[in-house]
Amino acid sequence: MKNRKTLTTTLTALGLGLGLSLLQPLSAAEFSPAVDSQGNISLPADFRANQVHLGSWFVPEGPASGFHDVYADKAAVEAFRRDGKFPDGAILIKELRASKSGDYSTGKGVHYATSDGTKQHFVMVKDSQNRFKDNGSWGDGWGWALFKEGPGSSNVSADYKQDCLGCHVPAKDKDWVYTEAYPTLAKP
């Protein structure tokens, strides 16, 4: 009986400790490795090798022409498949790449992304708690960033409402994300 009481006391203490730790605010690094303590968003290095490819869009003409390849961290994909939504700290990256086309044995006019034609990157970080309300890159449940150069460059968007949100209005009812082009998010 004494061992059972000790076990119950230990489990209760562990449960209380865990419960209290869940009430503590997360540091920026614990919230998302792509965000610093002021809410500045960075473009993760080597994301193509370290993240999951969700899907692609192809825009044939205009300033946003090319392939739009979209990636997310693995934990975000698992949570979306389970819960139907992205968890806080989820990182979504869209890489816009130039394209070329040619005739191949698989068909004529085949389009492909070029290895030297990265135009820009977009990064979104899920934040349902409005952690960085004084930072113009945050709001509507997300952190928003635009990078004209690769990893190590700075976010050139200072106002997500002006620089980012307009393109996402049609997806407002889907938490601002065009999930229909991301077959990886579907449950297997």
Side-chain angles (χ1 to χ4, degrees), residues 100-141:
K100 291 185 179 180
S101 65
D103 295 338
Y104 291 86
S105 58
T106 55
K108 294 184 182 280
V110 175
H111 290 268
Y112 59 93
T114 62
S115 61
D116 61 345
T118 301
K119 293 182 172 183
Q120 56 193 6
H121 296 90
F122 302 89
V123 177
M124 294 173 69
V125 180
K126 183 64 183 160
D127 177 28
S128 66
Q129 295 182 19
N130 196 23
R131 289 171 174 84
F132 305 103
K133 58 183 166 247
D134 295 330
N135 184 318
S137 294
W138 292 83
D140 285 294

Side-chain angles (χ1 to χ4, degrees), residues 43-61:
L43 175 61
D46 205 15
F47 63 88
R48 281 189 234 129
N50 298 315
Q51 301 230 344
V52 177
H53 182 250
L54 298 181
S56 298
W57 300 85
F58 177 69
V59 178
E61 298 175 5

Side-chain angles (χ1 to χ4, degrees), residues 126-127 130 138-142 144 160-161 165 172 175-176:
K126 183 64 183 160
D127 177 28
N130 196 23
W138 292 83
D140 285 294
W142 291 90
W144 309 76
Y160 85 96
K161 288 181 182 178
L165 200 58
K172 181 179 181 180
D175 196 21
W176 306 100

Side-chain angles (χ1 to χ4, degrees), residues 61-78:
E61 298 175 5
S65 65
F67 282 90
H68 297 231
D69 293 319
V70 182
Y71 301 83
D73 56 289
K74 185 176 181 182
V77 171
E78 291 169 350

